[in-house]
């Protein structure tokens, strides 16, 4: 089954081992399963075997437990998300494993001999259940998109984690299993075809598997497109619910407690980031009419806003603008980590401060949805003005969800009684989106890319929440050499990018992707950010994460392995590189034929949607 080769690790004492096995030898039906959802299934297979051998960042743990078919308790098991990895790759034909045994002992390396791996007891039902869990979540996201939903949380799911330092589910009790509001249109039953994987779908207690032989049926709460509020008192579960929705963009492993919960893949968490770097970002929809600084003749043009150290409100405005630019379909916002003056302004403050430069997000969420169909899920607990804008309101009461939409609408009518006009542009809490406030497509400038130098490398910094791509690695002491005049050039702070959930291995993967983009952009300076990330994804889809990373020996020396981030986190990292500059992409005027074709396509989509709704 397995073939192995091992060589002494040239970087440090130990053994570097590469092992591979034909797919049909792992399970006789795997070649059929891969054909169902190829990319997702391959990731699930690779993740399953990575967990069985207990891959960790500084090497490998494979004791007699693994040989007996038991899961090793390595640190990778603490991250319940399934990512593409650099150390194990599954193709249609075979599974390839690249690991390092730390001990300078031939005996340790011999654990990975062909004979030992071939007697490895891998329960086929566990492998198939792992694949089925991953495929279900993938298909659930497609179901959400097709049915104009943003997120789904299954009845019986365990949302709270064991502790702030653990990703494992809290025991129940004290954890309260989730239950969708009864007698509400938020309550929804999902029916998905799972084919030959249905017998391996381990449903949550109390859930039915569906009457159809190939169908899995799960009931829970479905959040529709639009503006949704999550309200409630302190410590009642608001942020826990939002974190579950935020984590729903990734596939989870069986037993996580949230494996039947999912969110549309393009959902992005947006928060304040005091001190973040911003280059040429259009924040004029939120920040405008800034006062003229002393000694200057004009104020800052917020259509081309740049700063080395953004405030809470300007950083969150830039984050929203960049969410639009990266084509997010939903924004996830928690009042607790947002800038207060960016979120809302009450009537008394509007009466006192007449010349305000900030247009709060409260006034823009409806316009954003109307213009771009970008939904917003907002956790609120202290500002009642938010009750004037939502399509749905979820109330968390002692960890139990209640549909409070009707009550919120009643309160809004009672207290609002006609909002004041905002600069003559409409009702204050429901401004339409201004075209001039729309972020434009950008590309990195060649001089700023060249400022990072040649032979770029990635290094994790500051407790694995920052990385740097600047400077050359000194082979003598393995430290980055940075000049004093540009000491922060190339630094990227990702500490408040909340959906980078793969810890330092995913952060390192993010660094590798950004390094590849910087080098690729130097060769193709006319490409915009969108095209650069598209080219990156093409490389990864073809050959895996190793195609844009370093060789296996370099990776095992640095962090052991790298995990692939979403394109959204790559975009965030690229725009946060200190020293990088962006410019607007040249605007290409549309011909009359292009405009007519676009209008025809729009009408066809509307007719198709109308026909689908009638059926």
């Amino acid at each position: 089954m397995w073939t192995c080769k091992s060589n002494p690790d040239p970087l440090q004492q130990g053994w570097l081992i590469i092992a591979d096995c034909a797919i049909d030898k792992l399970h006789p039906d795997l070649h059929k399963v891969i054909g169902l959802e190829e990319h997702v299934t391959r990731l699930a297979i690779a993740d399953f075997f990575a967990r069985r051998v207990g891959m960790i960042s500084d090497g490998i743990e494979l004791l007699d437990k693994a040989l007996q078919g038991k899961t090793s308790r390595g640190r990778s098991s603490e991250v319940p998300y399934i990512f593409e990895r650099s150390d194990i790759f599954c193709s249609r034909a075979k599974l390839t494993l690249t690991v390092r045994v730390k001990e300078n002992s031939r005996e340790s390396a011999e654990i990975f001999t062909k004979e030992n791996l071939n007697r490895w007891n891998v329960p086929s039902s566990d492998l198939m259940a792992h694949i089925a869990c991953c495929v279900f979540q993938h298909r659930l996201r497609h179901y959400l998109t097709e049915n104009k939903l943003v997120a789904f949380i299954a009845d019986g799911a365990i949302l709270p984690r064991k502790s702030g330092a653990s990703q494992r589910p809290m025991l129940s009790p004290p954890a309260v299993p989730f239950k969708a509001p009864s007698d509400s249109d938020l309550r929804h039953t999902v029916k998905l075809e799972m084919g030959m994987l249905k017998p391996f779908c381990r449903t949550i207690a109390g859930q039915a598997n569906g009457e159809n032989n190939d169908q899995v049926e799960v009931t829970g709460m479905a959040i529709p497109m639009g503006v949704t509020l999550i309200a409630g008192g302190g410590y009642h579960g608001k942020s826990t619910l939002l974190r579950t929705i935020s984590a729903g963009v990734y596939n989870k492993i069986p037993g996580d407690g949230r494996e039947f919960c999912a969110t549309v893949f393009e959902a992005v968490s947006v928060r304040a980031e005091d001190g973040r770097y911003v280059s040429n970002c259009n924040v004029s929809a939120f920040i405008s009419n800034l006062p003229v600084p002393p000694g200057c003749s004009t104020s800052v043009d917020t259509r081309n806003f740049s700063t080395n150290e953004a405030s809470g409100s300007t950083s969150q405005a830039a984050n929203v603008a960049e969410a639009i630019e990266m084509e997010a379909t939903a924004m996830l916002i928690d009042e607790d980590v947002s800038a207060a003056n960016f979120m809302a302004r009450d009537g008394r403050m509007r009466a006192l401060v007449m010349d305000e430069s900030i247009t709060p997000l409260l006034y823009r969420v409806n316009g954003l949805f109307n213009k771009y169909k970008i939904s917003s899920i907002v956790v609120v607990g202290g500002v009642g003005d938010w009750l004037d804008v939502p399509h749905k309101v979820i109330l968390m009461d002692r960890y139990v969800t209640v549909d409070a939409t009707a009550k919120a609408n009643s309160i809004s009518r009672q207290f609002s009684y006609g909002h004041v006009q905002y600069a003559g542009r409409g009702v204050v809490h429901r401004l339409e989106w201004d075209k001039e406030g729309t972020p434009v497509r950008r590309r990195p400038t060649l001089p700023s890319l060249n400022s990072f130098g040649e032979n770029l490398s990635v290094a994790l910094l500051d407790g694995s929440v920052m990385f740097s791509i600047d400077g050359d690695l000194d082979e003598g002491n393995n430290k980055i050499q940075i000049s004093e005049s540009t000491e922060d050039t190339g630094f990227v702070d990702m500490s408040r990018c909340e959906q980078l959930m793969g810890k330092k291995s995913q952060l390192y993967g993010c660094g590798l992707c950004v390094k590849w983009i910087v080098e690729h952009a130097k060769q193709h300076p006319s490409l915009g950010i969108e095209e650069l990330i598209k080219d990156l994804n093409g490389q990864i889809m073809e050959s895996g994460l190793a195609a844009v990373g370093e060789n296996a020996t370099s990776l095992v020396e640095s962090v052991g392995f790298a995990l692939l981030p979403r394109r959204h986190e790559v975009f965030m990292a690229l725009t946060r590189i200190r020293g990088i500059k962006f410019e607007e992409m040249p605007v290409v005027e549309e011909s009359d034929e292009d405009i007519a074709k676009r209008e025809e396509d729009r009408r066809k989509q509307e007719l198709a949607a109308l026909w689908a709704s009638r059926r």
Side-chain angles (χ1 to χ4, degrees):
M1 289 174 61
W2 288 85
T3 60
C4 306
K5 61 180 181 179
S6 60
N7 297 301
D9 189 338
L11 295 175
Q12 62 181 23
Q13 292 182 339
W15 293 89
L16 186 68
I17 298 170
I18 300 176
D20 57 57
C21 180
I23 287 295
D24 57 356
K25 300 296 184 181
L26 298 173
H27 191 282
D29 292 330
L30 274 189
H31 67 284
K32 299 178 184 177
V33 175
I34 287 180
L36 297 177
E37 300 283 355
E38 180 175 346
H39 184 66
V40 175
T41 303
R42 289 195 289 107
L43 292 185
I45 294 171
D47 182 83
F48 176 83
F49 281 95
R51 294 176 192 278
R52 299 304 281 191
V53 301
M55 286 182 172
I56 56 177
S57 61
D58 56 353
I60 191 78
E61 279 186 0
L62 181 65
L63 305 177
D64 290 338
K65 290 189 209 176
L67 293 175
Q68 296 165 11
K70 299 179 181 178
T71 302
S72 176
R73 296 293 182 181
R75 274 177 282 172
S76 66
S77 299
E78 297 177 6
V79 181
Y81 310 107
I82 297 174
F83 303 103
E84 181 151 346
R85 306 168 62 105
S86 63
D87 54 353
I88 181 166
F89 182 75
C90 180
S91 66
R92 290 187 66 91
K94 66 179 181 179
L95 179 73
T96 302
L97 199 71
T98 304
V99 295
R100 187 191 73 234
V101 177
K102 284 180 60 179
E103 294 83 355
N104 187 21
S105 168
R106 184 90 189 178
E107 295 177 359
S108 299
E110 286 176 352
I111 294 175
F112 285 91
T113 61
K114 180 172 69 174
E115 292 75 17
N116 278 334
L117 286 174
N118 284 340
R119 69 181 178 87
W120 191 7
N121 179 21
V122 179
S124 60
S125 60
D126 289 352
L127 171 59
M128 297 298 281
H130 205 83
I131 296 171
C133 184
C134 192
V135 170
F136 179 89
Q137 293 171 75
H138 177 74
R139 292 186 173 178
L140 179 54
R141 285 188 198 90
H142 282 286
Y143 177 91
L144 295 176
T145 302
E146 292 167 359
N147 290 273
K148 298 183 178 180
L149 303 171
V150 176
F152 179 83
I153 301 93
D155 284 355
I158 301 298
L159 308 190
R161 302 294 89 186
K162 189 175 181 180
S163 71
S166 174
Q167 287 286 352
R168 293 176 181 168
M170 181 184 291
L171 295 177
S172 178
V176 177
F178 182 85
K179 186 176 181 180
S182 57
D183 301 324
S184 167
D185 58 0
L186 289 171
R187 190 168 186 82
H188 188 92
T189 298
V190 174
K191 299 178 181 179
L192 295 178
E193 297 290 333
M194 292 297 293
M196 62 181 295
L197 289 174
K198 180 185 175 179
F200 304 100
C201 291
R202 300 170 180 175
T203 56
I204 299 173
Q207 295 271 14
N209 245 339
E211 298 177 0
N212 188 302
N213 289 335
D214 295 331
Q215 200 172 73
V216 173
E217 183 176 310
V218 181
T219 299
M221 182 176 72
I223 298 177
M225 292 175 62
V227 180
T228 300
L229 300 186
I230 302 175
Y235 207 73
H236 280 242
K238 304 187 302 297
S239 295
T240 300
L241 176 58
L242 188 70
R243 281 194 293 270
T244 298
I245 296 170
S246 178
V249 300
Y250 296 117
N251 292 331
K252 276 84 64 181
I253 61 174
D256 172 72
R258 305 166 297 178
E259 63 267 39
F260 285 85
C261 306
T263 306
V264 291
F265 192 70
E266 308 295 334
V268 175
S269 293
V270 174
R271 57 164 294 168
E273 290 184 65
D274 301 62
R276 76 151 280 193
Y277 177 84
V278 180
S279 174
N280 197 19
C281 183
N282 185 354
V283 297
S284 61
F286 301 98
I287 313 291
S288 59
N289 301 321
L290 294 177
V292 178
C296 298
S297 58
T298 59
S299 63
V300 175
D301 184 2
T302 56
R303 292 172 299 179
N304 307 100
F305 182 75
S306 300
T307 180
N308 288 325
E309 194 159 343
S311 65
S313 57
T314 53
S315 65
Q316 195 161 3
N319 290 343
V320 172
E322 290 178 347
I324 301 170
E325 186 180 356
M326 73 175 81
E327 298 180 341
T329 58
M331 296 190 301
L332 313 177
I333 304 160
D334 194 336
E335 185 182 65
D336 287 350
V337 291
S338 297
N341 59 339
F342 177 76
M343 292 292 287
R345 292 176 65 231
D346 63 21
R348 297 176 185 179
M349 191 56 65
R350 289 196 301 271
L352 175 66
V353 183
M354 302 296 292
D355 187 20
E356 172 59 68
S357 301
I358 301 175
T359 302
L361 180 64
L362 168 66
Y363 303 169
R364 291 295 191 191
V365 286
N366 292 110
L368 263 176
F369 180 70
N370 295 339
K371 179 74 173 178
Y372 296 110
K373 298 304 176 187
I374 298 177
S375 301
S376 298
I377 300 177
V378 187
V379 168
V380 295
V383 181
D385 284 357
W386 276 96
L387 299 183
D388 298 332
V389 301
H391 300 99
K392 291 291 180 182
V393 177
I394 300 167
L395 179 66
M396 298 299 297
D397 184 13
R398 295 178 176 86
Y399 318 116
V400 176
T401 57
V402 178
D403 185 350
T405 306
K407 185 176 182 179
N409 290 339
S410 175
I411 293 171
S412 176
R413 288 191 298 269
Q414 179 182 354
F415 285 89
S416 299
Y417 50 83
H419 294 300
V420 298
Q421 299 290 308
Y422 188 82
R425 289 183 288 169
V427 177
V428 64
H429 287 184
R430 291 179 179 268
L431 295 180
E432 289 303 316
W433 187 264
D434 297 327
K435 182 177 180 181
E436 59 267 20
T438 301
V440 296
R441 296 174 61 219
R442 297 177 293 169
R443 64 186 179 193
T445 64
L446 189 58
S448 69
L449 295 174
N450 290 332
S451 69
F452 300 126
E454 301 296 330
N455 302 318
L456 300 179
S457 58
V458 179
L460 298 182
L461 308 168
D462 193 21
S464 299
V465 296
M466 298 174 63
F467 68 86
S468 172
I469 64 164
D470 182 48
D472 295 325
L473 282 175
D474 182 353
E475 295 181 358
N477 55 20
N478 205 37
K479 293 183 179 178
I480 293 179
Q481 306 298 312
I482 302 175
S483 65
E484 294 183 2
S485 60
T486 57
E487 61 180 11
D488 64 346
T489 298
F491 279 54
V492 186
D493 183 0
M494 298 290 284
S495 59
R496 284 166 286 187
C497 296
E498 298 177 345
Q499 287 173 294
L500 202 67
M501 297 178 176
K503 299 186 178 180
K504 68 177 183 179
S505 295
Q506 196 181 19
L507 180 67
Y508 195 79
C510 201
L512 294 178
C513 291
V514 169
K515 170 178 171 285
W516 186 92
I517 287 178
V518 169
E519 293 171 340
H520 188 62
K522 288 181 180 180
Q523 301 172 5
H524 306 277
S526 63
L527 294 181
I529 300 176
E530 181 181 350
E531 289 81 6
L532 291 169
I533 293 179
K534 184 178 179 180
D535 288 352
L536 169 73
N537 288 339
Q539 285 286 107
I540 293 171
M541 287 295 291
E542 182 178 344
S543 307
L545 185 56
V548 298
E550 302 170 3
N551 60 47
T553 54
S554 297
L555 277 171
V556 296
E557 168 65 11
S558 51
V559 293
F561 58 90
L563 300 176
L564 180 66
R566 297 187 304 162
R567 68 181 184 91
H568 298 285
E569 280 66 52
V570 175
F571 182 103
M572 292 177 187
L574 182 66
T575 55
R576 285 162 176 75
I577 303 175
R578 290 193 172 270
I580 197 168
K581 305 293 183 184
F582 294 100
E583 63 184 4
E584 294 183 9
M585 293 282 288
V587 178
V588 179
E589 294 292 337
E590 285 187 301
S591 65
D592 293 339
E593 292 180 359
D594 292 334
I595 295 174
K597 187 177 184 304
R598 182 159 51 82
E599 180 63 19
E600 182 182 356
D601 291 340
R602 185 188 65 80
R603 290 179 179 177
K604 286 180 179 179
Q605 292 175 359
E606 289 181 350
L607 287 172
L610 179 61
W611 178 251
S613 64
R614 289 182 64 183
R615 286 189 299 175

